[in-house]
Each structure stands twice: as structure tokens, then as C-alpha cells.
Amino acid sequence: MTLKEVLKGAVEEIASGFRRYPVWVALAHESIGDQHRRTTLGPLWLVLNYFLFAGAFVVVFGHRNEIENFPAYVATGLYVWLLMSEAINTAVPLFRREANYIKGTTLPLFVYVMRLAMQTVIRGAYSGAGWIVLMLFLVQPSLEQWLMAFAGLAVIVLALPAVITIFALLGAFFPDFEFITSNLVRVGMFLTPIFWIHGNDGGLRQMLYEYNPFTHFLAIVRQPIISGELPVMELVLCLGISAFAWVLAFFLLGALRKKVVFVV
């Protein structure tokens, strides 16, 4: 397959997927409804789960008084981490989970990608309501702080379809990748500065802080809330990572889209 064919295939796939936005928006809402059908609180369980998770982290690690406004630090970091890690974990088995539809319909693969991205955004909006309530109680951010934090969230949301595409394709062609990813994400929660900070003393901890990409995605949302400052360098880095993810997703989708049906 030539480069021209790869590029043309990717453009057609993505454009066709975006044109079918009513499909993936409806499917995403249906998935959220199915997950909470017959429950008393419905999607409000997402808010409650976030409160419980954040509260547990604050109680367990609350003795770390060297961190300014530790409850807000943890609550914001945890919110961003849960948003990203859920997208990654659910993306890996995406195409195998949708195998019947992929084999039985002519919908573009990007429809399933956008369905999961939309579903992640909806779930994130519910838990985000809990995060906003906590921030209003703990920090009382100004409008400018909120705008900077939501700009950081927008960068994450814009990167979601690309990240989901990459992980879904890897999961389709390499079934073991699901177990590798789940273990890495589980360990990654403790290697990412959700509830700890580096001490500028070098060593492994400093390296984990600086070279972990999740560190910077947490910072573009958390730093405006905690300190009221826009982390320009982290924002530029996150935009660069997102752009790279889109380029990689673009080429992988163009090269592999017609082969997915044979491996799921």
C-alpha cells in the first residue's frame, strides 16, 4: 500500500465517521443508559463514585502536608487520571467488542472510535460535576482559573479519538496488549503524581515526574486551579503529544482499517 493510498484511506475513514455523528452520539447515550438501567441513581453513580474515590485518597494520603491544598490537588489529579485511564482501558478491546457490528455492517471504524470518545466525555461530565463542586468548596477558583482549566480539559478531549484509535488498533492485532495495558495503567496510577510531588532532588522519582506524559496532562488542568497560573510549557508539550497521536492514528487507520475485520 502506497503512502498516497494510506492517506486517502485515512481521510475517507475519518470524514465518513464524522459525517455519521448522529449515529455515534446516539449510541454513546444508549451505552450510558444501558450501563445504569434499573439503578436508582442512574448516571449519578458516576458522581458518587468519584466522591468516594477522591475522599479515600485524601484520607489515606492526607498526611502529606507539604503539598499546597492537598485535597484539591488530589481531587483534580484523580479526575483527570480517571478520564484518561478509562479511555485507554476501554479502547484496547474496542474493535473486538464491536466485532459483530464490524462484520455485519458497513459503518466506518471511526464511528466506533467516536462512540467511545463521546461515551468517555459524557461519563467525564458526570464525574466532572462532582469535581466542580469539590473545587468550589475547597478552592473557590476565579472565572479565569476555570477557563484555563477547561482549556486544558479541551486539549485532553481533542486527543481522545486519536488515542482511542491507536489503542483499539493495537488491541485488535495484538490480543495480549489488553493485559499489558491494564497492568501498566494500574501501576501507572502510582507512578503519576496524582497524590505526590517531586522534591527537586533528582533520582528516579524526579525522572518519573518529568518524563511521564500523564504528569503534564494533569498539570494543564490542575495548576490553573491550584496556583491560578497557566502552565505554558506543559500546555505546549501536551499539544505536541496530541498532534503526534493524531498523526500516528491517521497513518495506522489508513494502513490497517481494511484488515481489522479479519482479526477481530
Side-chain angles (χ1 to χ4, degrees), residues 16-90:
S16 180
F18 276 122
R19 283 197 300 269
R20 289 172 169 80
Y21 73 90
V23 176
W24 45 263
V25 170
L27 290 175
H29 281 93
E30 182 182 4
S31 295
I32 297 294
D34 289 342
Q35 291 169 0
H36 301 91
R37 183 169 294 170
R38 298 176 65 104
T39 61
T40 303
L41 297 180
L44 290 179
W45 274 112
L46 297 170
V47 182
L48 181 59
N49 289 341
Y50 169 73
F51 279 142
L52 293 174
F53 211 177
F57 266 71
V58 170
V59 170
V60 172
F61 299 102
H63 62 285
R64 297 177 178 270
N65 296 321
E66 72 273 14
I67 300 179
E68 178 186 359
N69 204 335
F70 182 76
Y73 183 91
V74 171
T76 304
L78 185 62
Y79 170 65
V80 178
W81 170 261
L82 291 176
L83 181 67
M84 295 186 296
S85 61
E86 179 183 352
I88 292 172
N89 276 330
T90 54

Side-chain angles (χ1 to χ4, degrees), residues 30 32 66 80 88 99 110 119 131 137 153 176 191 195 242 246 248 251 255 257:
E30 182 182 4
I32 297 294
E66 72 273 14
V80 178
I88 292 172
F110 203 65
Q119 185 176 327
W131 168 65
F137 178 74
L153 282 174
D176 290 345
L191 301 182
F195 49 85
S242 301
W246 268 107
L248 180 58
F251 280 97
R257 64 191 181 105

Side-chain angles (χ1 to χ4, degrees), residues 1-10 250-251 254-256 259:
M1 183 178 292
T2 65
L3 178 60
K4 182 178 180 180
E5 291 173 334
V6 170
L7 295 176
K8 181 180 178 181
F250 195 82
F251 280 97
L256 302 175
K259 300 178 182 179

